[in-house]
Amino acid sequence: MTSLSSTEAAAIERAGDAPMLAQVEAWAAVNSGTGNLPGLKTVAGLLADAYSALPGDLRLVAPDPVESVDAAGRVQTIERGAHLHLSVRPDAPVQLLLTGHMDTVFAADHPFQSLTWLEEGVLNGPGTADMKGGLAVILAALSALESSPLAPRIGYDVMINSDEETGSHASAGLIARLAKGKTAALTYEPALPDGTLAGARPGSGNYSVLVHGRSAHAGRNPEEGRNALVAAADLALRLAALKAPDLKVNPAKIDGGGPNNVVPDQAILRVNMRPATPQAATAAEAALNAAIAAIEREHGVHCHLHGGFNRPPKPLDAPATRLFELVRDCGTALGIDIAWKATGGVCDGNNIAACGVPVVDTMGPRGGAIHSSDEFLITGSLPERARLSTLTLLRLAERGTV
């Protein structure tokens, strides 16, 4: 089906007319870096006010506890912001999950704080594309859906978390609970500037390896020491050597060391691993543990591993491919070319797919240079993507399945 029915035409016109640009400008004007709890609270309030126009049960959900290893090797509990959850028609025959995030990568003291028009239709600003633009698209599409006679056929949960940019550790449990039993899911990370969607994604795991050695005088008795810094460096090299076509490994940082005349007794290696498949993830974790065991034997140190794979790999299976094809066909009906390709990035779409739910996770507006001070939103893509989402929702209501 490529032509538009009168019901579809009315709904997508309503979606395109929503005040999305004004919403993006208001929401992006408030810094909501993952660690900026006051900023996140303000943005959560703005979003709650806006999303209260939709029916259903709207609430703020407390974050799960998050642990992290600091530079001194202490395991600390990190406080995160609340997540927004909207539940509408949980007994409808078609159940969907729509997700986004309110946090950005820009801390409260980051110099990138303001909005600038680079040219007509191109807005530079923190979170404009990633992903306050996507949050505006969700609201526009759902508001349009609610005006349609097909709305009673669809129930949906909207989840907007506060910690996606740091791995969704405080919201992973909520995502899993909401994904259970869903027909399909849409996540509103930004599409590429040309509109291409992200298809298959690797998984991602972040690890901290605490290396405990033995201090000694660097001149008098260094042989009695066990150099934790050298052991950590050796481990970094061994892990870097694990790189393969289906595995990316990035030893990112070593904390530790001290005065030049003391053999360092502690170091912490931070490493990111990105496996392309579940099998590669299993093999990578086994290789990591084997490398740590070898370091302990050869350097006479003791290691403690903290972390894990918080984003499972997201291959494109048959249901996910059918959902992508539905989005593509909706684009065709609207005169929008839709394509997708594999990407090295990860997002909440990984977690949703791991629950067995087909997901397209780049339904947001077009933009680019995300996670940098050059981030930009192509503002004309706001109505474009709102219409695309609306038509996708309506056709899912009609089909009842992907």
Side-chain angles (χ1 to χ4, degrees):
M1 177 171 45
T2 57
S3 60
L4 298 176
S5 69
S6 58
T7 296
E8 292 171 340
I12 64 173
E13 181 177 0
R14 181 183 178 96
D17 290 340
M20 290 173 280
L21 178 56
Q23 291 167 338
V24 173
E25 290 177 311
W27 299 340
V30 181
N31 178 282
S32 58
T34 312
N36 182 5
L37 298 183
L40 286 167
K41 183 176 181 180
T42 298
V43 170
L46 294 173
L47 293 172
D49 288 344
Y51 276 77
S52 65
L54 296 170
D57 177 31
L58 180 70
R59 64 192 183 110
L60 292 177
V61 181
D64 290 338
V66 177
E67 289 187 343
S68 179
V69 178
D70 67 15
R74 298 181 296 259
V75 177
Q76 304 279 11
T77 299
I78 300 175
E79 190 174 356
R80 295 299 188 208
H83 317 302
L84 186 145
H85 173 218
L86 172 67
S87 176
V88 176
R89 291 184 294 274
D91 297 323
V94 180
Q95 291 292 317
L96 305 178
L97 174 62
L98 293 87
T99 72
H101 61 87
M102 67 182 81
D103 64 322
T104 73
V105 300
F106 305 105
D109 58 355
H110 194 282
F112 187 39
Q113 300 281 351
S114 60
L115 305 178
T116 304
W117 287 98
L118 301 180
E119 59 182 84
E120 185 177 356
V122 181
L123 181 61
N124 164 245
T128 50
D130 187 22
M131 64 176 296
K132 290 169 181 176
L135 302 182
V137 169
I138 297 174
L139 180 57
L142 291 176
S143 297
L145 169 69
E146 292 300 332
S147 72
S148 167
L150 288 171
R153 285 189 49 77
I154 284 191
Y156 53 86
D157 286 284
V158 178
M159 191 285 306
I160 302 174
N161 55 355
S162 67
D163 68 329
E164 190 278 338
E165 294 292 7
T166 53
S168 302
H169 298 281
S171 55
L174 177 62
I175 293 169
R177 291 193 296 274
L178 297 180
K180 185 177 181 180
K182 291 297 191 290
T183 304
L186 304 173
T187 293
Y188 284 78
E189 294 292 341
L192 296 177
D194 66 358
T196 300
L197 308 178
R201 292 182 182 272
S204 179
N206 290 300
Y207 295 88
S208 296
V209 185
L210 281 69
V211 183
H212 302 283
R214 183 189 305 145
S215 62
H217 193 288
R220 290 185 177 181
N221 59 333
E223 68 284 350
E224 295 180 12
R226 298 293 181 266
N227 193 311
L229 195 69
V230 171
D234 189 3
L235 180 59
L237 292 173
R238 296 184 191 213
L239 296 180
L242 297 176
K243 294 176 184 176
D246 61 354
L247 178 65
K248 296 177 181 177
V249 182
N250 182 46
K253 185 178 183 182
I254 295 178
D255 293 308
N260 283 358
N261 61 349
V262 177
V263 174
D265 63 352
Q266 180 170 287
I268 306 166
L269 171 65
R270 320 283 184 167
V271 61
N272 175 257
M273 306 180 82
R274 300 201 176 205
T277 65
Q279 296 77 14
T282 300
E285 198 148 45
L288 171 61
N289 287 320
I292 290 173
I295 289 295
E296 289 181 321
R297 289 193 307 270
E298 296 173 26
H299 289 266
V301 298
H302 172 69
C303 298
H304 174 72
L305 179 64
H306 188 278
F309 283 110
N310 61 301
R311 303 285 198 200
K314 194 197 82 170
L316 279 191
D317 59 12
T321 299
R322 289 195 297 270
L323 182 59
F324 272 90
E325 290 170 345
L326 173 61
V327 174
R328 179 199 61 198
D329 293 345
C330 289
T332 299
L334 296 169
I336 305 169
D337 291 330
I338 298 293
W340 55 91
K341 65 180 181 180
T343 177
V346 295
C347 71
D348 287 335
N350 292 69
N351 300 65
I352 295 168
C355 297
V357 177
V359 57
V360 175
D361 56 29
T362 36
M363 292 294 288
R366 292 182 284 121
I370 62 173
H371 295 190
S372 80
S373 298
D374 296 322
E375 178 178 351
F376 66 90
L377 168 69
I378 300 172
T379 58
S381 69
L382 289 167
E384 169 193 291
R385 275 357 200 193
R387 295 186 187 105
L388 178 64
S389 279
T390 302
L391 187 55
T392 300
L393 294 172
L394 293 174
R395 295 193 172 177
L396 281 169
E398 290 178 317
R399 290 168 51 158
T401 180
V402 296

